[in-house]
């Protein structure tokens, strides 16, 4: 499946609430594969949400297993269809970046442990607990499904937003 172009802020689809997936079919399977391929092609990417490739559906993928922050604590590749966070705990500020906002990074506060419920690409329901960097990555991607960017969650616009020097 092809790697898709990432939409850049301020593209209007990035600020829209994505629609739930009602039926898992070949179209959704193709979307999931596109998301995986696009995530793996992105420099340092640990996740991509469907709105970032122009599809306003509640689907995202996350895989922090190759990242130095997530190597020790992860579930591997997660395909999240209609994900919902059912429990949050703790809070920490971490530096985040985004392929849709390639020129900036920012300090964002996120829950350090989450419990989420979702459907996998084959339609089975799952509930998992994630913590640390993986929890942060999941929350970041799920924000895209609600039309929220990390820019909307910067802890301080004066001291928490940074111009990225090298992205690619």
């Amino acid at each position: 499946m092809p790697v898709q172009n990432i939409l850049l802020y301020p593209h209007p689809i990035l600020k829209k609430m994505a629609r739930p997936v009602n039926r898992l079919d070949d179209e959704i399977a193709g979307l999931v594969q596109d998301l995986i391929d696009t995530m793996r092609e992105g420099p340092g990417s640990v996740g991509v949400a469907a709105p970032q490739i122009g599809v306003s559906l509640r689907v995202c993928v996350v895989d922090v297993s190759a990242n130095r922050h997530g190597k020790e604590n992860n579930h591997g590749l997660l395909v999240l269809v209609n994900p919902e966070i059912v429990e949050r705990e703790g809070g920490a500020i971490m530096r985040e970046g985004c392929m849709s906002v390639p020129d900036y990074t920012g300090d964002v506060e996120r829950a350090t442990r989450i419990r989420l419920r979702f459907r996998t690409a084959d339609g089975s329901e799952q509930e998992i607990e994630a913590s640390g960097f993986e929890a942060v990555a999941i929350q970041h991607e799920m924000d895209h499904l609600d039309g929220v960017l990390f820019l909307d969650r910067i802890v301080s616009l004066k001291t928490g937003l940074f111009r990225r020097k090298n992205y690619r």
Side-chain angles (χ1 to χ4, degrees):
M1 290 292 167
V3 172
Q4 300 294 308
N5 290 326
I6 295 290
L7 299 181
L8 300 178
Y9 174 80
H11 195 287
I13 199 170
L14 296 172
K15 298 301 288 178
K16 280 181 54 179
M17 179 78 78
R19 292 176 287 113
V21 172
N22 295 320
R23 191 172 53 131
L24 293 168
D25 55 17
D26 289 346
E27 183 179 330
I28 299 301
L31 171 62
V32 166
Q33 192 59 55
D34 287 351
L35 289 169
I36 292 169
D37 293 344
T38 303
M39 173 182 67
R40 291 196 170 136
E41 186 69 19
S45 176
V46 295
V48 177
Q52 290 181 279
I53 62 169
V55 179
S56 189
L57 289 172
R58 299 187 74 77
V59 181
C60 59
V61 297
V62 173
D63 186 354
V64 300
S65 63
N67 185 284
R68 65 185 165 105
H69 299 295
K71 269 186 185 163
E72 304 298 321
N73 179 20
N74 68 79
H75 290 86
L77 174 63
L78 291 169
V79 175
L80 308 173
V81 177
N82 296 335
E84 172 189 5
I85 294 176
V86 294
E87 203 175 295
R88 298 174 192 262
E89 186 178 300
I93 296 173
M94 288 185 71
R95 182 76 48 90
E96 292 187 18
C98 179
M99 290 194 292
S100 292
V101 188
D103 296 332
Y104 291 92
T105 62
D107 291 339
V108 175
E109 183 171 8
R110 304 271 188 192
T112 54
R113 190 193 69 75
I114 59 172
R115 175 172 290 283
L116 72 149
R117 186 177 304 137
F118 58 96
R119 287 194 179 273
T120 63
D122 68 5
S124 62
E125 276 196 39
Q126 283 199 10
E127 190 167 311
I128 64 168
E129 188 173 301
S131 60
F133 184 65
E134 184 177 51
V136 169
I138 291 168
Q139 291 170 85
H140 177 106
E141 297 310 325
M142 286 181 63
D143 269 356
H144 281 294
L145 307 180
D146 294 330
V148 176
L149 298 172
F150 81 89
L151 296 172
D152 301 311
R153 296 193 182 273
I154 296 289
V155 292
S156 167
L157 286 176
K158 279 187 172 177
T159 61
L161 183 63
F162 308 93
R163 193 155 202 32
R164 193 187 296 258
K165 291 181 181 159
N166 295 315
Y167 186 65
R168 299 191 188 269

